[in-house]
Amino acid sequence: MSSSGAAGAGSTDSTAARRNTKRPKYSKFTQQELPACKPILTPRAVISAFLLVSVVFVPVGVASLLASRKVVEIVYRYDSKCIPKNVTNKVAYIQSSADKACSITLNVTKHMKSPVYIYYQLDNFYQNHRRYVKSRSDEQLRKRGEENETSTCKPEDMVNGRAIVPCGLIAWSLFNDTYSFSVNKRNLTVNKKGISWKSDRNHKFGKDVFPKNFQNSSIIGGAHLNESIPLREQEDLIVWMRTAALPTFRKLYGKIEEDLKEGELVNVTLNNNYNTYSFNGKKKLVLSTTTWLGGKNDFLGIAYLTVGGLCFFLALAFTIVYFVKPRQLGDPSYLSWNRNPGGH
Amino acid sequence: MPEGIITKKRIHFSKLYSFSCLKSSFGDGHSQIGQRGYSRIVYCNDPDNPDAIQQNYRGNYVSTTKYTAFNFIPKSLFEQFRRVANIYFLVVACVSFSPLAPYTALSIVAPLLLVIGATMAKEAVEDWRRRKQDIEANNRKVLVYGKNYTFVETRWKKLRVGDIVKVCKDEYFPADILLLSSSYGDGVCYVETMNLDGETNLKLKHALDATSHLQDEKPIQRFRAMVKCEDPNENLYSFIGNLHYEGKEYPLSLQQILLRDSKLKNTDHIFGVVIFTGHDTKVMQNSTDPPSKRSKIERKMDKIIYILFSTLIFISFIGSVYFGVETKRDTSGRRYRRWYVRPDSTTVFYDPRSATLSALLHFLTALMLFGYLIPISLYVSIELVKVLQSVFINRDQEMYYEEMDRPARARTSNLNEELGQVDTILSDKTGTLTCNSMEFVKCSIGGIRYGRGMTEVEKALARRGKNVESQVDEASCDFSGQDSDVEDSRPPVKGFNFRDERIMNGKWVNEPQSDIIQKFFRVLAICHTAIPDVDQGSGEISYEAESPDEAAFVIAAKELGFELFARTQTSISLHELNYKTGKKVDRVYQLLHVLEFSSSRKRMSVIVRNEENQLLLLCKGADSVMFERLSEKGRQYEAETKEHIKQYAEAGLRTLVITYRELDEEEYKLWEVEFSKAKTSVGADRDALVDAAADKMERNLILLGSTAVEDRLQKGVPECIERLAKAGIKLWVLTGDKMETAVNIGYACGLLRQDMKQIVITLDSPNIIALEKQGDKDALKKESLESIKKQIGEGIKQIKFVKESTSTDKESSSSFGLIIDGKSLDYSLNKNLENSFFELATSCASVICCRSSPKQKARVTKMVKLGTGQTTLSIGDGANDVGMLQEADIGVGINGAEGMQAVMASDFAIAQFRFLERLLLVHGHWCYRRISMMICYFFYKNIAFGFTLFWFEAYASFSGQAAYNDWYMSFYNVFFTSLPVIALGVFDQDVSAKLCLKYPFLYLEGVEDTLFSWPRIIGWMVNGVLSSLAIFFLTANSVMTQAFRRDGQVVDFEILGVTMYTCVVWTVNCQMALSINYFTWIQHFFIWGSIAFWYVFVLVYGYLSPEISTTAHMVFVEACAPSLLYWLVTLLVVVCALLPYFCYRSFQSRFLPMYHDIIQRKQVEGSDIEICDEVPKQVHGKLIHLRERLKQREL
């Protein structure tokens, strides 16, 4: 009964008076005859697709590779060098209050145009660990009145019953190695303004939020913060708080806004404070210029070249195959419905 | 003829139906009244009786809805969470409120709510439609005897048990009603039960004599009675009860019960007492939901989901082990390795001192995180897609049947794709392959053939005869030449297609054996149970007959001058042509007895006394029972008639033998006593006694001739069958007809071909017939079994022989046709023989089972379904096909003349057999392709996405940190990827409908299940993993550690997430674009729209305040968009991720092309041919459209 009613229900609508037949109305849509383009993989289409990819990819690859090659990059690993030779327990050394100043020299192999970006690179450091990523309080960082919003920050939430600003593991473990650079005894100024994202400064870190009770607990993690400077201006913290995606990462330390000439020796005086020794993390200092593509990484260029080349090769292979073994179309054997289905 | 009508009303029809109407003895059941199961008491016409109120029977309110306003939410929720995947997501949603969750609770709850909500909304809409029907039914009006002793219009739902109702002609009965009296004097009425059992013929119901005087409102006023009867049950064919009235007890049977949803016909009105109301009525007790069948693909899909669950558990396990080990290493004694996560002061989730527990808890986290492997929106998308597909099936103009104004209808939407995988069709014959409108075309009278019309079968045979010499041809050749010149100018009469100038228009009187011809047509005019219905205005006579055959006979007799115009309980009146005077005279035959037709008797007779006071027995019946009943004298034309019957049967006609006999007064009197005794006897063997008595009379008959009635093939059947065969679909015809008829219909519709070898399995061998006569049942059974076994064995041997002799096995299987009769089928379906029978049957191209009963049909269907493990489709139109329709994977009902029963039991309803071709080859193929691609793609996209999370985890020491913002992830399945895949499921076409029909072999893709085979599914999954690898590793390595833009900024967690996510969205959507080959604006809109929407989303979301957008704040505008590297990485990753699939496809479509590849290629290369076909079609469509608009304007 339900069905007969359903059929009847359709005719009760307003059009029923005019249309007393159940004939389905013609429209291209309901008859599934909409105009459509039906691309199929003809040999020509396949070959031209491959060729197109290679034509686009090879130049892009070359350009990327050239850009990457143009970048001058100095990488210096200092975590082992800056430990005195006689120290056996590196962790104990780094945790001690001894003076950990260290001096290294970087050799500028190629002319570096300003701005030269200074990065520190950490290795084997899981800033993307879930516990670590979640251990922050955005509300607290943003607004002064919300400084007690520390529930997500455990165990770095309170000290002696008072809220820590900025709370959480990320802030607590703030990187605290410092570098100063000189060329020929002349100090190079390191510009630390504008190394963080503007949106972070403007929307995520309050200009009236000042550090409080920071690094006052029993275990000191990383850097201390100047309690008289609002968080918005603590760009090192802002950079650090933007967690890295992968366990090997660089973070911007500052910019040197003058050219470094080829052959110059840059003396770096650094304070090796940060404990990467517990987890066998490497520490590197990186000076790098940039191009339109960013820093030095050949991977993209090589990948583009490889894919472009592969597609060219495939286009070639398909062309040869089509010429060598052209299939007769309309061959009845392909159309026979008795044919055993091939493949899958 | 007003007298005719008046007399008709006064007839006591009960006398006509001498067999069935008088059964009113107390049967076994009546003793149980008052006991368990038989406890219902109805106080008639006394609804306010305190006892009646105490009974508290349900009202007549009917609700067929699944839900009510109150239980909708809990019940539909329960329905939703019966699916494993939904349960999983529910558990995840609950756990997501705990700190275990890797993302915010809202971001997992929201999509779940959306998905569940969408499904529930669909349920609600469907239920609302049902409710509207209920309201309509509940508010219909019926006349109820009220307090002020008149009949008052009352709504159906207000009806109470015990009410007296008056139902008028052509109204439906509002409840199950005990018939008290009718407008006929003896309390009979006619009922049409089409809605119950699909039979269109009228059934006679008969009130008790005790109540039949209740003709008016006055006697009803005093009427008080009590009915004690059975409790509500679903058995439509029995009723047990007693009527206590005026101190007496009367037994009630089904004869007195009028069932709800049947219709009063041919009777002005009836009075009755409501016995069962609402849900207690038999039809409601009987109502079952439309059969809920699941398609194979869906069942396979469940398996895939289990595979994904296993994958999920496996990768979560790997992650947990790694996480446990890493966490454990965080401390060794008092030294802490990764001090920055403070392992010294930590929660249980990261505690290195109880790393095992942490790992266990992490396992739960991982299950949630990688839950994106399980597509949450899969079920709801598939349901939506299927509903839309059904709309397309319903709206298809090519499946609309103009003559009956019937479009195709998909009654269930969950089998659409199964239509594309049908391996075997089991078809009914009558009404399915044929029109089921009987036409009298030929007859053989006194050994002479009459009738020059050509039947469809003969035409087919003639066509065949042109090529191959055929012995049957000779039979029809004498007609073929004169076919056209005897065309009559008279309008065609329904049911009559007889052309023969020798006996038409009264010319039969000039024939040499005119007396035999006269007797012959007299038998046709008298020996039946049809009732003439005279139209008072025009004087036209129409006939209400129990079967179309009978109507055809009466009409034929009328057309040849023996016009039945009146019938009373004791007489039959004809306008007859007197061949001596040539004038029309009225003759009245006194009707003494009707010996009814039954399927076991296979004959019916009447005993009449004519005006010359002769006693005549007129008998018609099947040849198998009639020839043995002929007298020695009566066999004059036996040989010729037998020959003619054989020819008629070969021409696909239904034949009946016409005989008569003159009776002796003495003999008749003796017999009548015996017959009456038999009829009034009480006991189980009453029927047997009556049969035996009737049998005594139906002997020594004199043969007059035979009739041949054609049931014409429907239009387009042979072409349809041919193309279905080309599509690799096997067709079995299951019919009740005799073997010759079935075989010839087989030829006519192209099921059997001349070049086929027939394997016939039958029990018609002499020794079995001999055994049958002896009546030794055990021996017969044994012998039959042996015989069948032998025949099957021989058949198999024959096929094997042919297979071996023709080295290629291509042709062999298609060159055999198996024909088996019902009796043999019974034996073949025995356990021992089933396997070998099955082996034989499946190696034949077509199988015809003749003389099979409905039960056998269902059994065969089940056997084929289980035996092949392939999809079976049953198609039928009558109530006798219901079992078969429900048993098969797909039931297709022909929405034809035989009522609704088959349609009600079917999954799809079409009006003509030929539409099956389009339903299967076009819609079936498309739906199969769409659904299978859709599911594959669904898994692909979720694997591609889910695994990027996993790879990222590997670089986050499996801590459970998601790579993406929570809302990117929860919108993945809902917004960024769902619409293109729905568009694929609804609109994709590999080739156009026309090509689907042109190249039926395309359908094999579905039968062989090439698009949803395990290699293909696994292939898509592997492709998903490859894509995820490409996405993660290429992205990660490209943006690695260095600055990614000119200002020296490096990529952090948030930027990597956006970059990867961009690649994911591009990749899965481009993969979609690559794998479909049908782009309308809809596809373009959805695919490119989804990608565009991602950018819009990340832009808008990023502009929201950081409280809401968290890690996504400004990330696109500020960080990604200005970086060229970001865009280059997107391009690289998308191309790389698609490359494997593209290579595979170009290789495969070239070297191992699938069927649709071939056709597509052909279509492209032969595009010029295509175009000139295409244009007229579009023009045609437009023309139809214009014409309709014109019509509308006129109206």
Side-chain angles (χ1 to χ4, degrees), chain B residues 24 32 137 143 189 200 238 308 374 424 427 474 549 613 707 856-857 928-929 970 985 1021 1040:
Chain B
S24 52
Q32 293 169 297
L143 290 167
C189 70
T200 43
S238 87
L308 285 183
I374 318 287
T424 313
S427 172
E474 174 257 331
D549 300 66
N613 210 18
T707 57
Q856 276 175 335
K857 286 183 181 182
Y928 164 72
R929 191 184 159 75
S970 39
M1021 291 184 167
M1040 201 54 167

Side-chain angles (χ1 to χ4, degrees), chain A residues 130-146:
Chain A
R130 184 154 68 103
R131 176 173 161 80
Y132 189 81
V133 171
K134 297 245 183 299
S135 187
R136 62 190 285 163
S137 166
D138 287 332
E139 289 82 6
Q140 190 204 42
L141 296 174
R142 197 160 46 232
K143 280 204 197 109
R144 182 176 200 157
E146 309 261 357

Side-chain angles (χ1 to χ4, degrees), chain A residues 1 3 21-23 31-32 37 119 126 131 142 156 198-199 242 275 290 295 297 304 322 329, chain B residues 261 339-342 395 400 405 904 930 989 1037 1043 1046 1048 1052 1079 1107 1118 1128 1150 1165 1188:
Chain A
M1 289 143 285
S3 62
T21 163
K22 286 182 203 156
R23 181 188 190 93
Q31 301 308 308
Q32 309 192 54
C37 69
Y119 301 94
Y126 287 90
R131 176 173 161 80
R142 197 160 46 232
E156 288 300 323
K198 200 169 157 233
S199 66
R242 188 97 166 195
N275 176 13
T290 58
N297 186 353
Y304 262 97
Y322 289 147
L329 272 164
Chain B
D261 276 336
W339 55 268
Y340 50 90
V341 290
R342 288 293 293 273
R395 293 282 179 86
Y400 168 75
D405 189 28
M904 300 292 283
R930 289 165 182 175
Q989 309 178 357
N1037 281 311
R1046 197 181 269 284
D1052 54 44
F1079 283 94
E1107 286 158 64
E1118 189 185 28
L1128 285 180
R1150 173 71 195 175
E1165 311 210 345
E1188 248 173 37

Side-chain angles (χ1 to χ4, degrees), chain B residues 193 352 361 374 423 510 516 602 680 766 948 952 991 995 1015 1080 1145:
Chain B
T193 55
L361 290 170
I374 318 287
D423 179 69
N510 307 325
I516 293 181
K602 291 180 181 165
T680 49
T948 57
F952 178 79
V991 298
L995 290 171
T1080 64
R1145 270 290 289 159

Side-chain angles (χ1 to χ4, degrees), chain B residues 80-191:
Chain B
Q80 286 303 306
F81 289 114
R82 275 172 33 176
R83 286 176 170 153
V84 192
N86 282 351
I87 282 277
Y88 165 76
F89 286 114
L90 180 69
V91 171
V92 165
C94 294
V95 181
S96 66
F97 287 96
S98 79
L100 274 175
Y103 30 61
T104 54
L106 190 60
S107 67
I108 185 71
V109 173
L112 182 69
L113 283 181
L114 194 79
V115 165
I116 299 281
T119 323
M120 275 168 67
K122 181 185 153 254
E123 290 275 300
V125 168
E126 279 178 358
D127 217 43
W128 177 250
R129 287 211 192 114
R130 279 193 283 266
R131 195 176 150 69
K132 273 211 299 211
Q133 283 168 40
D134 287 347
I135 290 172
E136 200 263 325
N138 284 325
N139 288 324
R140 276 189 228 163
K141 302 264 172 64
V142 66
L143 290 167
V144 177
Y145 194 68
K147 279 198 180 112
N148 41 4
Y149 311 120
T150 50
F151 282 94
V152 187
E153 259 198 4
T154 312
R155 289 171 198 274
W156 278 25
K157 61 181 173 191
K158 297 263 173 72
L159 213 58
R160 287 174 300 175
V161 173
D163 277 342
I164 293 194
V165 293
K166 178 181 181 181
V167 179
C168 299
K169 193 172 179 177
D170 293 333
E171 282 183 357
Y172 286 102
F173 300 114
D176 287 357
I177 290 169
L178 168 68
L179 176 64
L180 292 175
S181 64
S182 78
S183 52
Y184 292 114
D186 56 352
V188 297
C189 70
Y190 292 93
V191 169

Side-chain angles (χ1 to χ4, degrees), chain B residues 417-434:
Chain B
E417 72 275 17
E418 197 93 333
L419 285 176
Q421 293 186 280
V422 173
D423 179 69
T424 313
I425 295 176
L426 299 117
S427 172
D428 174 42
K429 187 187 110 345
T430 312
T432 304
L433 297 175
T434 64

Side-chain angles (χ1 to χ4, degrees), chain A residues 1-3 5-6 18 20-24 26 29-41 43 46 49-50 53 57 60 91 117 119 124-126 128-134 142 155-156 169 172-173 195-199 203-204 219 221 242-248 250 252 274-275 278-279 290-297 299-300 303-304 307 310-311 314 318 321-322 325-327 329-330 334-335 337-339 341 344, chain B residues 99-101 133 261 335-342 344-346 350 365 392 395-397 400 402 405 407 409 411 726 904 923 926 930 952 955-957 959-961 987 989 1001 1004 1008 1010 1016 1034 1037-1038 1041-1043 1045-1050 1052-1056 1077-1080 1082 1106-1107 1110 1113 1118-1119 1124-1125 1128 1131-1132 1135-1136 1142-1146 1150-1151 1153-1155 1158 1160-1161 1164-1165 1177 1181 1185 1188 1192 1195:
Chain A
M1 289 143 285
S2 60
S3 62
R18 279 188 295 156
N20 41 16
T21 163
K22 286 182 203 156
R23 181 188 190 93
Y26 177 84
F29 181 76
T30 58
Q31 301 308 308
Q32 309 192 54
E33 288 169 359
L34 283 176
C37 69
K38 302 165 185 170
I40 71 158
L41 295 173
V46 170
F50 280 132
V53 170
F57 270 46
V60 172
V91 178
Y117 295 95
Y119 301 94
N124 210 12
F125 189 102
Y126 287 90
N128 56 12
H129 193 280
R130 184 154 68 103
R131 176 173 161 80
Y132 189 81
V133 171
K134 297 245 183 299
R142 197 160 46 232
E156 288 300 323
L169 291 175
W172 174 73
S173 61
I195 55 171
S196 63
W197 293 104
K198 200 169 157 233
S199 66
H203 301 290
K204 291 190 176 168
I219 306 169
R242 188 97 166 195
T243 49
L246 299 168
T248 303
R250 284 179 194 172
L252 205 50
Y274 204 69
N275 176 13
S278 310
F279 51 86
T290 58
T291 61
W292 57 272
L293 200 59
K296 191 177 189 66
N297 186 353
F299 180 84
L300 189 75
Y304 262 97
V307 173
L310 183 71
C311 284
L314 282 171
F318 268 92
V321 164
Y322 289 147
K325 208 184 156 195
R327 203 190 68 211
L329 272 164
Y334 282 95
L335 290 172
W337 49 274
N338 282 321
R339 190 174 66 95
H344 46 101
Chain B
L100 274 175
Q133 283 168 40
D261 276 336
R335 292 191 42 193
Y336 299 105
R337 188 171 62 103
R338 293 186 295 188
W339 55 268
Y340 50 90
V341 290
R342 288 293 293 273
D344 56 314
S345 161
T346 185
Y350 308 98
T365 307
F392 281 131
R395 293 282 179 86
D396 193 339
Q397 276 194 321
Y400 168 75
E402 190 93 58
D405 189 28
R409 211 165 72 230
R411 286 173 36 82
K726 275 192 189 157
M904 300 292 283
H923 290 285
W926 280 347
R930 289 165 182 175
F952 178 79
Y955 283 82
S957 73
S959 58
Q961 177 60 37
F987 303 109
Q989 309 178 357
F1001 62 84
L1004 285 175
E1008 289 159 359
T1010 43
R1016 204 175 158 86
L1034 290 180
N1037 281 311
S1038 304
T1041 51
Q1042 88 287 8
R1045 35 194 262 165
R1046 197 181 269 284
D1047 66 358
Q1049 291 288 4
V1050 290
D1052 54 44
F1053 177 72
E1054 295 154 33
I1055 295 163
L1056 183 77
N1077 20 45
Y1078 184 76
F1079 283 94
T1080 64
I1082 301 168
E1107 286 158 64
T1110 60
H1113 182 65
E1118 189 185 28
L1124 249 175
L1125 188 75
L1128 285 180
L1131 179 66
L1132 173 75
V1135 169
C1136 285
F1142 188 74
C1143 290
Y1144 166 75
R1145 270 290 289 159
S1146 11
R1150 173 71 195 175
F1151 297 104
M1154 288 193 280
Y1155 298 115
I1158 300 167
Q1160 284 172 350
R1161 186 79 60 82
V1164 165
E1165 311 210 345
K1177 193 169 180 217
H1185 181 65
E1188 248 173 37
Q1192 285 178 7
L1195 291 167

Side-chain angles (χ1 to χ4, degrees), chain B residues 381-442:
Chain B
S381 305
I382 285 184
E383 269 178 33
L384 183 72
V385 160
K386 286 183 172 181
V387 168
L388 293 173
Q389 286 176 345
S390 309
V391 171
F392 281 131
I393 292 177
N394 295 343
R395 293 282 179 86
D396 193 339
Q397 276 194 321
E398 306 278 316
M399 294 201 293
Y400 168 75
Y401 188 45
E402 190 93 58
E403 273 163 56
M404 295 175 86
D405 189 28
R406 275 178 185 154
R409 211 165 72 230
R411 286 173 36 82
T412 46
S413 58
N414 49 354
L415 289 176
N416 294 344
E417 72 275 17
E418 197 93 333
L419 285 176
Q421 293 186 280
V422 173
D423 179 69
T424 313
I425 295 176
L426 299 117
S427 172
D428 174 42
K429 187 187 110 345
T430 312
T432 304
L433 297 175
T434 64
C435 300
N436 197 20
S437 64
M438 300 299 164
E439 290 190 334
F440 188 88
V441 283
K442 290 179 188 210

